[in-house]
Amino acid sequence: MSLWQHLWPPRPRRLERLSDILGAGRDELVTFAGSVEPLEAIHDPVSGELAVAIDYRAAPPHSVVGVAGALSVISRTFHVARQQAVDFLVAEGPHRVLVCVDHGTDLDAFHRDLLTRHGVGLRTERALVRPGDRVCVIGRRLGARPTSPLRDEPYLAVVRAQRFWPLEPPPA
């Protein structure tokens, strides 16, 4: 990556409709939104909720300073952060896009290890992307996978996600 690209990275092409991804070139950076449809799911190690992505943060009880943890948000002296995700589909109407992600850490084993070392006073914060959530994805469109000309793929394209996050639900 050149210095120019490092200082001013390319902006992703915004796709208004999911079907617009068919006009995107191979390795083109795109951004789009839609609803999550899971191919498989992972479980939150604390609550057991189903998700396709988990952002996990934990702090042992001795790492919080302040009066009775009153300043725990800004005064943590030690905390760990890990992520776990699985590939999923983003859907809009009849159209689907396969989103490939970095799978990250096995949070079940990681959480069990932290509980063994730090006990039940372990403080955790988790942000989940659940099936059905609306998400925004920024990623590179990959080339089409080889397939038979007699068979249709269940999705329009494959995107390697660089970032994705849940969108707020529309006001009721």
Side-chain angles (χ1 to χ4, degrees):
M1 176 181 276
S2 71
L3 177 62
W4 185 266
Q5 290 173 328
H6 184 71
L7 294 174
W8 292 280
R11 294 185 58 166
R13 185 171 107 180
R14 181 165 184 204
L15 305 176
E16 295 297 326
R17 294 181 313 273
L18 212 51
S19 59
D20 294 343
I21 200 160
L22 294 172
R26 183 185 172 123
D27 289 333
E28 184 175 353
L29 191 61
V30 295
T31 182
F32 55 90
S35 298
V36 171
E37 287 186 0
L39 296 171
E40 61 179 304
I42 52 179
H43 296 276
D44 178 359
V46 178
S47 69
E49 287 183 77
L50 291 178
V52 295
I54 303 170
D55 184 18
Y56 174 93
R57 297 184 190 284
H62 62 277
S63 68
V64 179
V65 294
V67 179
L71 301 175
S72 65
V73 173
I74 58 173
S75 62
R76 287 200 180 120
T77 56
F78 169 76
H79 77 276
V80 292
R82 298 288 188 276
Q83 294 81 29
Q84 183 178 7
V86 292
D87 297 346
F88 58 92
L89 294 172
V90 171
E92 179 187 74
H95 305 295
R96 310 278 183 276
V97 170
L98 176 62
V99 178
C100 298
V101 298
D102 178 17
H103 295 282
T105 304
D106 177 10
L107 290 180
D108 285 331
F110 186 72
H111 181 69
R112 274 193 310 274
D113 181 52
L114 286 177
L115 280 176
T116 302
R117 286 193 281 158
H118 300 291
V120 295
L122 182 71
R123 295 172 185 245
T124 62
E125 299 170 3
R126 290 123 21 242
L128 291 94
V129 177
R130 296 171 184 86
D133 284 356
R134 285 196 46 81
V135 293
C136 185
V137 178
I138 295 177
R140 295 210 175 271
R141 181 177 190 255
L142 302 177
R145 293 184 174 176
T147 184
S148 164
L150 302 176
R151 189 180 97 208
D152 288 335
E153 291 295 336
Y155 40 83
L156 297 174
V158 180
V159 171
R160 166 60 74 190
Q162 290 181 353
R163 292 188 317 242
F164 61 95
W165 61 92
L167 298 172
E168 296 297 322

